[in-house]
Amino acid sequence: MSPTQVVRGLDLLLTMDPTLGEGPLGRLEHAAVALDERGVCWIGSDDQAPTAPVVVQARGQIGLPLLVDSHTHSVWAGSRADEWERRLSGISYTEILEAGGGIRSTVRHTRQASLDELVELCTARLAPMVARGVGAMEIKSGYGLDAHTERTMLQAAGLAGQRVGMTVVRTFLGAHCVPSDCRDDPDGYVDDVVGPQLAACADVADFVDVYVDRGAFTVDQGRRVLQKGIAAGLRPRIHAEQVTYTGAARMAAELGAVSADHLEQIDEDGIAAMAKAGTIGVMLPGAQLYLNDPSPPVPMLREAGVRMAVATDLNPGSSPVDNLWTCATLACVRMGLSVEEALLGITAVGADVLARPDLGRLRVGSAGLVLARPRAGEPCVPGALLQHLGGPSVSVIRPG
Ligand code: NIG
Ligand code: FE
């Protein structure tokens, strides 16, 4: 180890690894972190810190691992600002979708965009998220709904991640919505998803996802999509129990889904199946807020032992929210997560959703760390990171 920089005097370091520090957040007080050209090479007490050519003084700040946003739709073209205004006057998300708007409107614009345009748009969305400390993100397809555009979206996601230095994990979501021209034959559309679309996307995706709901896909169609995705080497996850209860979370858990996301309408059976399978519940408080949905039953999920991640669900319609800190705060205020649960949800548990236990914990080998400064006058305690809706002020330390 020959450190190139050392971060000294951290009031608090939250490693998010209980084996490295105290409690579930793996806390270390008066800590220091050293980095070499490759990443974090030493973590420990400030009074034992190694020397390095560059010293960053971090008094008054809290250190954390790079954040993980485990559910986003960050590649799209077009805008739904006009539709949002109509929703304010009382027209529902589902009504707009059924009338050819919503996801279908974004599909029309995304199909017309080139790979370069999608990379530009996605890069511009990712850059401020990187600046707020997000180091890894899941990005879904699902606004192409044809083999060519679904693949282009996933390629754009990978290229945008490279441009901003973000780890991007990709999910094939051809079964996001039945396109307008297939509405008389949704099963025929599922044939296209599990046939040409999956064949075009399997080598540029890590996960397969499906949106099961009224106005989207049925549980049986969802099962078919996930089974075919698994057979193509993808790990399953699902959008489940968002607007209506369907039993999709239980179905996905029984297929070994890594996560079931949304869950506003989940019941006891679904929760029991998720607990049994170790399926993580992904809380999406941006969509809950914008759609004015009820909260998922967090006390029941907690009681059953279902772990919870928190993500932005960044998309142009139901969750135009790119601030993961804000989502963590909303998960506390509107869903009842504790500060510990929400912080783990945007770090270690988010990483586990992506099947990347090397992310979301601050360890030797991590690619960097986040320095978070609570608002003026606030102490360096975990609660001060989330109490303010806009989050702390953040700087990101990377090797070099
Ligand atoms: O996660 N639930 C469906 N899919 C997205 C919405 C995407 C959109 O409105 O464009 C979601 O909320
Ligand atoms: Fe989503």
Side-chain angles (χ1 to χ4, degrees):
M1 173 190 76
S2 131
T4 51
Q5 52 179 327
V6 60
V7 180
R8 295 287 312 266
L10 283 158
D11 285 58
L12 182 64
L13 184 66
L14 303 175
T15 64
M16 305 300 172
D17 182 343
T19 67
L20 292 182
E22 211 185 292
L25 302 183
R27 299 166 63 119
L28 294 171
E29 270 155 40
H30 308 297
V33 179
L35 294 92
D36 61 18
E37 292 91 7
R38 285 166 316 191
V40 172
C41 61
W42 181 92
I43 298 170
S45 176
D46 191 52
D47 52 19
Q48 288 162 18
T51 55
V54 176
V55 179
V56 178
Q57 284 299 347
R59 211 164 301 285
Q61 297 181 71
I62 302 178
L64 304 125
L66 298 168
L67 308 184
V68 180
D69 193 345
S70 56
H71 178 141
T72 85
H73 306 251
S74 304
V75 176
W76 78 85
S79 163
R80 279 157 51 195
D82 56 337
E83 190 179 281
W84 177 62
E85 283 199 53
R86 279 194 280 137
R87 292 217 318 266
L88 292 177
S89 71
I91 306 169
S92 78
Y93 179 80
T94 309
E95 280 167 336
I96 288 175
L97 182 64
E98 278 163 8
I103 296 171
R104 292 189 177 99
S105 139
T106 303
V107 169
R108 284 192 292 278
H109 289 97
T110 305
R111 283 179 176 175
Q112 280 162 20
S114 67
L115 173 63
D116 285 352
E117 284 164 344
L118 293 176
V119 173
E120 288 293 331
L121 286 164
C122 184
T123 302
R125 288 179 195 123
L126 265 48
M129 301 168 90
V130 170
R132 280 192 294 267
V134 176
M137 181 185 284
E138 184 251 18
I139 302 179
K140 301 174 198 291
S141 66
Y143 293 126
L145 312 186
D146 63 42
H148 170 74
T149 318
E150 287 291 302
R151 181 175 175 83
T152 305
M153 286 185 71
L154 294 167
Q155 289 173 320
L159 292 166
Q162 282 169 19
R163 281 212 194 165
V164 298
M166 165 115 73
T167 301
V168 167
V169 167
R170 295 175 289 185
T171 298
F172 168 56
L173 179 59
H176 193 191
C177 176
V178 180
S180 305
D181 55 357
C182 300
R183 285 170 83 173
D184 296 338
D185 184 17
D187 285 316
Y189 178 67
V190 174
D191 290 343
D192 192 65
V193 171
V194 301
Q197 289 190 39
L198 180 60
C201 293
D203 70 323
V204 287
D206 310 281
F207 290 88
V208 58
D209 194 345
V210 53
Y211 177 30
V212 174
D213 216 322
R214 175 157 61 87
F217 294 91
T218 65
V219 172
D220 285 341
Q221 289 164 343
R223 184 183 295 108
R224 198 169 156 227
V225 170
L226 296 186
Q227 282 173 334
K228 292 285 187 186
I230 295 166
L234 305 179
R235 288 171 191 260
R237 55 186 301 185
I238 191 160
H239 282 70
E241 328 298 11
Q242 181 184 10
V243 180
T244 48
Y245 172 77
T246 62
R250 187 176 70 192
M251 176 277 287
E254 286 167 2
L255 290 179
V258 285
S259 74
D261 306 35
H262 287 289
L263 306 182
E264 283 84 351
Q265 311 288 346
I266 195 168
D267 71 352
E268 275 173 15
D269 269 9
I271 292 174
M274 286 178 67
K276 187 166 170 222
T279 301
I280 297 169
V282 181
M283 306 290 109
L284 303 170
Q288 185 215 358
L289 179 69
Y290 274 81
L291 300 183
N292 202 17
D293 282 340
S295 173
V298 163
M300 284 166 66
L301 290 161
R302 183 188 290 129
E303 169 82 5
V306 173
R307 294 194 303 151
M308 291 173 278
V310 178
T312 59
D313 195 14
L314 171 62
N315 74 65
S318 66
S319 189
V321 181
D322 68 358
N323 190 326
L324 189 56
W325 295 101
T326 298
C327 290
T329 301
L330 290 172
C332 296
V333 173
R334 304 243 315 161
M335 296 179 167
L337 269 72
S338 67
V339 167
E340 273 187 5
E341 286 171 331
L343 287 173
L344 288 167
I346 59 173
T347 55
V349 182
D352 291 347
V353 171
L354 306 188
R356 290 287 304 266
D358 56 314
L359 303 173
R361 288 125 178 132
L362 193 66
R363 295 173 174 155
V364 168
S366 294
L369 75 150
V370 169
L371 300 184
R373 186 184 292 283
R375 299 279 158 157
E378 295 296 335
C380 281
V381 296
L385 293 176
L386 297 189
Q387 189 190 6
H388 194 289
L389 193 57
S393 49
V394 162
S395 53
V396 179
I397 306 288
R398 294 277 193 175

